[in-house]
Amino acid sequence: IKSYNERLAERGLVAADETSSKRSPEFAAAVSQLLLRNAALDADLGRFARAHASIDRHLAGERGGAAGLVALGDLHLRQGDGAEQQQAALAAYVAAVEAQPTFAPAHRARGLALRDAGRSEEAAAALARYLELEPAAVDAPIIRGYLTEAGGALGAAPRAGR
């Protein structure tokens, strides 16, 4: 353990003082992201309780970070397609948008969930906002197709390079 702590101190990830358990912001950010990755892997394996616990730990450290809230919404949808799971997912996506209004993945997730719920107008608004924030997104052509399908004006969704 001593060698491990020394290596962490050399890299500036913990204070050089061995009695200090305070981690650097970089270390905390790395652990926070690993929690989300672990949650995704656990969900892939059907270990939803473990995935939820990792997301909860991430959210506790991030104080409601948008990425964690999107992951929580995604987890709810993966657990089942019932109305209760759908509502829980939408609530998480709304919270993500409120926590960080410029976090494009939150608008995308909310828009796709609303689309699946048959709420076309709300979905179109969320997906248009996603494209405003990420006009060059890899899935932008697909999202524009959804907007056209929903009757949304294609001009409302910015294209890459505009």
Side-chain angles (χ1 to χ4, degrees):
I1 297 288
K2 181 178 179 183
S3 174
Y4 178 73
N5 284 335
E6 288 171 356
R7 288 181 186 207
L8 289 175
E10 287 171 6
R11 294 182 181 167
L13 298 175
V14 296
D17 177 6
E18 288 181 40
T19 62
S20 174
S21 63
K22 189 172 186 174
R23 305 284 185 201
S24 72
E26 294 84 11
F27 181 83
V31 168
S32 185
Q33 292 308 306
L34 285 175
L35 288 169
L36 290 182
R37 288 186 190 149
N38 284 344
L41 292 171
D42 282 332
D44 287 344
L45 295 170
R47 299 186 304 216
F48 298 122
R50 287 182 68 172
H52 204 289
S54 290
I55 293 169
D56 286 346
R57 284 186 58 204
H58 168 84
L59 290 172
E62 292 289 316
R63 293 190 176 88
L69 291 166
V70 169
L72 181 61
D74 293 347
L75 181 61
H76 283 298
L77 290 179
R78 291 185 75 174
Q79 288 180 280
D81 58 0
E84 186 177 319
Q85 294 297 343
Q86 195 174 53
Q87 287 301 327
L90 277 170
Y93 297 145
V94 168
V97 167
E98 290 172 355
Q100 192 176 347
T102 59
F103 187 62
H107 292 278
R108 178 186 182 278
R110 180 173 171 263
L112 293 175
L114 288 165
R115 180 177 181 268
D116 289 345
R119 294 163 58 181
S120 298
E121 281 187 35
E122 293 172 89
L127 292 172
R129 179 66 177 137
Y130 165 62
L131 290 178
E132 287 174 17
L133 295 168
E134 287 289 334
V138 172
D139 62 349
I142 296 167
I143 299 300
R144 283 190 192 88
Y146 291 161
L147 290 173
T148 301
E149 175 186 285
L154 199 53
R159 293 184 179 269
R162 267 198 199 172

